[in-house]
């Protein structure tokens, strides 16, 4: 009889993907974290040129130097992080960056604080490394923000790392500067690493993004191109950390992916160094959609916190599973909050990365549900 490795039995396939596969063709899918925009033309053109010129071979394991230099400048200019190109690995999406960071850091039994509710990959990534998950409970009363006080109350002498995600999936909350700074100090004082997932950095409506990496060398900064530049299918991201950590991550990356796709690296290079108007245009459209969803949820008298960033809203209903099932019956796919952790129970997540027209129709359908 087939016996899979025990580590695979510790984790399950994503509920979100499973739901996606169930849906009828005419259903409106508000379950995926994927911008519906086309990748900007200049990026696609740069890839075509690279393809025609035969740029189809392996690249250095860490990624092409031009891209790492561009990332290094971006981190310095925008995030106030000092990371030279040798301290950066270009990865297969932020997803791989998360995986290699955790593989390089976590031993069996090490405690890792993860936001609850939080992005669905954190828990399985830590489990695959045999780490011990410690949920860091985020509460609606506090706008689902992670605070330095929450961290102080939750760390132990076994805490090896804390995962931060601001702006956050699934809540859209944005952490405040003093908390980022405070958590960076806690990390320094207690020899804890901060794995900072900054994939929604540019999708921010209120507040400002601060990277823990500007305050501590214990930060591992993870970012990517999927959300900011509508490049999910390119599978390209990056991680920056202090050199000794990067060398360990590189081993995992080398024997796992070897390098990110050469063409996707060209796409990433063009994204960072080409015109940036597309970023503002997409942000404006996300904001228009957010305002629509906020207005409609208010009219429906559903309790929720208006998102300050990312493209999710995380409302509360009495029986969220029942609500999600009723929504599916009406042809709107949304996700039950429990999938994001215990503190997500009683909530559901709407991704408003779909078109304004689809969102309008979806909100009409949700409005017709009896709750
Ligand atoms: C918080 C968060 N981190 C990371 C990722 C993965 O991004 P990528 O497409 O770069 O692997 C996602 C995707 O939904 C996300 O929501």
């Amino acid at each position: 009889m087939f016996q899979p490795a025990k580590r695979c039995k510790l984790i399950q396939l994503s509920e979100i993907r499973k739901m996606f596969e169930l849906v009828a063709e005419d259903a409106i899918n508000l379950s995926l974290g994927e911008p519906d925009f086309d990748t900007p033309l200049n990026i696609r053109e740069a890839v075509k040129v690279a393809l025609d010129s035969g740029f189809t071979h392996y690249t250095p394991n860490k990624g092409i130097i031009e891209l790492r230099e561009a990332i290094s400048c971006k981190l310095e200019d925008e995030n106030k992080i000092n990371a030279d190109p040798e301290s950066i690995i270009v990865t297969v999406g932020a997803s791989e960056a998360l995986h290699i960071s955790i593989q390089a850091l976590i031993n069996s039994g090490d405690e890792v604080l993860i936001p609850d509710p939080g992005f669905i990959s954190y828990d399985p990534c830590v489990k695959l490394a045999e780490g011990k998950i410690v949920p860091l409970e985020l509460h609606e009363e506090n706008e689902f923000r992670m605070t330095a006080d929450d961290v102080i109350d939750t760390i132990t002498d076994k805490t090896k790392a804390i995962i931060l995600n601001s702006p956050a999936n699934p809540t859209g909350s944005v952490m405040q500067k003093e908390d980022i700074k405070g958590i960076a100090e806690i990390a320094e004082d207690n020899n804890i690493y901060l794995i900072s997932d900054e994939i929604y950095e540019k999708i921010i409506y209120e507040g400002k993004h601060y990277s823990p990496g500007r305050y501590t060398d214990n930060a591992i900064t993870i970012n990517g191109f999927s959300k900011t530049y509508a490049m999910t299918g390119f599978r390209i991201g990056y991680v920056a950390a202090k050199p000794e950590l990067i060398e360990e991550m590189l081993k995992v990356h080398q024997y796992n992916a070897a390098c990110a796709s050469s063409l996707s690296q060209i796409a990433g290079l063009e994204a960072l160094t080409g015109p940036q108007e597309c970023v503002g245009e997409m942000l404006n459209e996300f904001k228009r959609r957010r305002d629509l969803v906020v207005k409609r949820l208010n009219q429906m008298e559903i309790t929720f916190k208006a998102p300050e960033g990312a493209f999710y809203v995380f409302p509360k209903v009495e029986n969220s599973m029942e609500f999600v099932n009723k929504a599916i019956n009406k042809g709107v796919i949304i996700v039950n909050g429990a999938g994001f952790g215990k503190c997500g129970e009683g909530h559901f997540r709407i991704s408003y990365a779909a078109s304004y027209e689809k969102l309008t129709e979806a909100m009409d359908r949700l409005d017709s549900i009896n709750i």
Side-chain angles (χ1 to χ4, degrees):
M1 203 182 88
F2 170 60
Q3 280 295 348
K6 284 189 201 128
R7 75 178 70 84
C8 286
K9 291 196 164 174
L10 296 174
I11 61 175
Q12 261 81 46
L13 282 175
S14 148
E15 288 297 322
I16 302 179
R17 286 274 163 189
K18 273 195 226 158
M19 286 177 68
F20 182 47
E21 279 152 24
L22 288 178
V23 305
E25 250 172 43
D26 62 343
I28 303 175
N29 188 0
L30 305 183
S31 73
L32 283 184
E34 159 144 49
D36 62 322
F37 307 114
D38 289 333
T39 304
L41 186 63
N42 62 307
I43 299 174
R44 287 181 278 141
E45 293 294 347
V47 173
K48 283 188 206 162
V49 172
L51 179 61
D52 288 342
S53 74
F55 194 68
T56 55
H57 299 272
Y58 287 133
T59 74
N61 296 126
K62 283 185 181 171
I64 56 174
I65 186 66
E66 297 85 345
L67 177 55
R68 284 184 289 127
E69 277 168 359
I71 294 168
S72 168
C73 288
K74 183 251 176 245
L75 289 173
E76 190 175 337
D77 293 350
E78 296 182 356
N79 306 89
K80 313 225 173 339
I81 295 175
N82 255 324
D84 66 57
E86 286 313 309
S87 304
I88 292 167
I89 303 176
V90 178
T91 54
V92 182
S95 302
E96 197 220 351
L98 263 173
H99 181 69
I100 65 173
S101 308
I102 293 171
Q103 286 292 319
L105 261 182
I106 303 305
N107 279 314
S108 171
D110 283 346
E111 292 182 1
V112 182
L113 270 52
I114 66 171
D116 177 0
F119 176 47
I120 51 162
S121 291
Y122 301 147
D123 175 288
C125 272
V126 174
K127 283 186 178 148
L128 284 176
E130 297 180 11
K132 184 174 171 224
I133 311 266
V134 179
L136 209 152
E137 296 186 2
L138 307 177
H139 300 287
E140 192 159 25
E141 307 81 78
N142 194 26
E143 318 218 308
F144 291 114
R145 286 189 187 121
M146 187 188 285
T147 67
D149 287 344
D150 293 337
V151 168
I152 277 286
D153 291 345
T154 320
I155 55 169
T156 70
D157 56 3
K158 294 202 176 65
T159 307
K160 184 79 182 273
I162 304 170
I163 300 183
L164 285 83
N165 175 218
S166 178
N169 176 5
T171 60
S173 75
V174 174
M175 284 178 68
Q176 295 187 334
K177 183 181 181 183
E178 58 269 28
D179 287 313
I180 300 267
K181 218 170 152 189
I183 294 170
E185 276 162 24
I186 297 169
E188 291 261 317
D189 294 346
N190 296 277
N191 201 19
I192 294 170
Y193 289 90
L194 301 179
I195 301 176
S196 179
D197 177 351
E198 305 185 15
I199 191 93
Y200 295 104
E201 170 195 18
K202 294 281 171 87
I203 305 174
I204 193 159
Y205 318 105
E206 270 118 53
K208 194 169 171 294
H209 175 74
Y210 294 92
S211 298
R214 70 189 269 179
Y215 304 115
T216 171
D217 286 345
N218 281 7
I220 299 171
T221 306
I222 292 177
N223 210 328
F225 300 86
S226 289
K227 318 287 176 179
T228 307
Y229 298 96
M231 280 173 51
T232 46
F234 282 93
R235 311 305 308 123
I236 186 96
Y238 56 89
V239 55
K242 54 186 170 191
E244 59 266 36
L245 246 169
I246 283 289
E247 289 317 305
E248 301 309 313
M249 288 183 211
L250 184 62
K251 296 180 196 166
V252 187
H253 172 69
Q254 190 174 86
Y255 296 118
N256 176 29
C259 63
S261 144
S262 57
L263 293 176
S264 299
Q265 292 188 52
I266 295 296
L269 179 61
E270 176 62 25
L272 282 186
T273 56
Q276 297 299 304
E277 285 77 16
C278 59
V279 178
E281 283 160 19
M282 288 191 264
L283 178 67
N284 287 342
E285 181 55 21
F286 281 137
K287 188 168 185 303
R288 198 167 80 98
R289 295 170 184 183
R290 179 198 71 154
D291 293 346
L292 167 72
V293 173
V294 162
K295 185 170 130 209
R296 296 298 305 268
L297 286 171
N298 272 328
Q299 284 165 355
M300 288 160 68
E301 295 180 2
I302 287 185
T303 317
F304 68 100
K305 177 194 102 52
E308 297 165 329
F311 38 63
Y312 308 104
V313 58
F314 202 58
K316 199 169 173 177
V317 279
E318 200 150 302
N319 186 337
S320 57
M321 197 60 237
E322 188 184 315
F323 186 82
V324 168
N325 285 332
K326 284 183 177 170
I328 292 174
N329 286 337
K330 299 262 180 194
V332 180
I333 317 305
I334 52 177
V335 187
N336 189 22
F340 301 97
K342 202 169 167 300
C343 294
E345 278 168 17
H347 292 260
F348 61 92
R349 187 190 77 173
I350 294 178
S351 161
Y352 49 89
S355 74
Y356 199 86
E357 293 64 37
K358 279 191 184 163
L359 276 173
T360 307
E361 171 62 28
M363 295 312 290
D364 286 346
R365 292 187 197 177
L366 293 185
D367 200 5
S368 69
I369 295 174
N370 282 328
I371 35 172

